[in-house]
Amino acid sequence: MIPYGQYDTLAAHGHTHGHAHNQSYQSAHTQEQQEIPKYSRLLFKLPRVVPDQRSKFETEDLFKKHTREGEVRYTLHRDRPNHERQAKFQAGCRDGHTEISFSGSGLVVLLNWMTSNNSVDTKYPPSSYCDFNREQGKVHISSSFILNGVCVRWRGWLDLERLDGSGLLELDEALMLREEANLQKHLHLVHQRLKECEERYRTDADLQMKKLPGYL
């Protein structure tokens, strides 16, 4: 028989023992949670180009429409007077950029090029350039860019007063080869990272299985 006065002491002792057991369980459980491996997040850039650029350039309607020479127009600052648009167009060309639209389809493209020298050697022109000297009253432009995953070059001219002209799209072979090489490097890196992660996760999974109790 337990004296009445000792019930509180035993209860307090039992509560303290239970609390200590709970704390030790929580500590062990927290330590076990910390041992669980943290899986890294894989982030990869989307490729800039498609695997078979030439085939897409030759078969897709978008490119078929623009490989034939067609009318283009300067599209910026439409709310400004014509003389102000002319000045802004020429200033943009000298800074190395402009924006044009294809009248037949409505396609709008932003053109960029190097501006180190406005006088271009026509025998060995760079892939992207702007030339005010080839023909009076016109500016001849060649600009390479990536359109729908295909390396292309727009080549044509615009009238400095009317702000319209003519040009076409063609496949940029040199840029295509560079981008295809970059694509292969990127795919190799992706496969390598995936392989490393698979090996790491497989090792971590084996370690976790060894830690499970035998009755499981």
Side-chain angles (χ1 to χ4, degrees):
M1 181 178 295
I2 302 174
Y4 177 76
Q6 296 182 7
Y7 277 113
D8 295 338
T9 304
L10 290 174
H13 177 73
H15 177 70
T16 304
H17 177 73
H19 181 65
H21 176 73
N22 188 32
Q23 281 185 338
S24 62
Y25 172 76
Q26 288 181 352
S27 177
H29 184 63
T30 303
Q31 184 178 2
E32 183 179 351
Q33 283 184 338
Q34 292 176 352
E35 293 177 356
I36 296 177
K38 295 182 179 179
Y39 300 119
S40 58
R41 180 178 298 176
L42 295 177
L43 299 176
F44 298 110
K45 295 180 181 179
L46 290 175
R48 288 160 50 92
V49 296
V50 296
D52 192 352
Q53 299 182 57
R54 188 181 299 277
S55 176
K56 185 172 183 178
F57 181 80
E58 294 174 351
T59 58
E60 193 168 294
D61 291 338
L62 173 67
F63 299 106
K64 286 182 177 181
K65 291 178 181 178
H66 300 98
T67 52
R68 298 183 295 271
E69 191 162 349
E71 183 183 12
V72 295
R73 293 181 179 276
Y74 175 63
T75 58
L76 297 176
H77 310 291
R78 294 182 180 180
D79 58 334
R80 308 308 301 167
N82 192 48
H83 69 279
E84 187 174 337
R85 294 190 70 214
Q86 293 172 354
K88 288 183 177 294
F89 170 66
Q90 295 188 35
C93 288
R94 290 188 169 87
D95 288 339
H97 61 84
T98 192
E99 185 179 283
I100 62 172
S101 66
F102 294 83
S103 301
S105 63
L107 176 67
V108 178
V109 293
L110 177 63
L111 306 178
N112 295 276
W113 56 87
M114 298 296 293
T115 60
S116 58
N117 188 5
N118 284 333
S119 179
V120 178
D121 184 357
T122 57
K123 187 177 180 181
Y124 301 105
S127 59
S128 297
Y129 64 87
C130 169
D131 186 4
F132 285 93
N133 301 323
R134 181 182 299 184
E135 192 173 354
Q136 187 175 3
K138 295 180 180 180
V139 55
H140 286 258
I141 297 173
S142 176
S143 177
S144 298
F145 54 95
I146 298 175
L147 177 63
N148 283 13
V150 179
C151 297
V152 297
R153 175 173 53 244
W154 185 84
R155 185 169 49 84
W157 57 270
L158 283 93
D159 189 280
L160 297 178
E161 292 186 0
R162 300 196 311 269
L163 302 181
D164 60 7
S166 179
L168 54 82
L169 286 179
E170 54 191 14
L171 188 65
D172 191 331
E173 302 275 356
L175 182 59
M176 180 182 70
L177 293 177
R178 290 199 301 269
E179 289 296 332
E180 284 181 348
N182 292 334
L183 176 62
Q184 294 304 318
K185 291 179 181 178
H186 176 73
L187 293 177
H188 177 73
L189 176 63
V190 170
H191 293 155
Q192 183 178 359
R193 291 292 304 275
L194 288 176
K195 185 178 179 180
E196 291 174 357
C197 289
E198 287 176 357
E199 292 177 354
R200 176 185 174 187
Y201 295 163
R202 190 181 299 113
T203 303
D204 293 338
D206 293 341
L207 291 175
Q208 291 301 314
M209 290 297 296
K210 291 179 180 179
K211 292 180 180 180
L212 293 177
Y215 60 86
L216 294 178

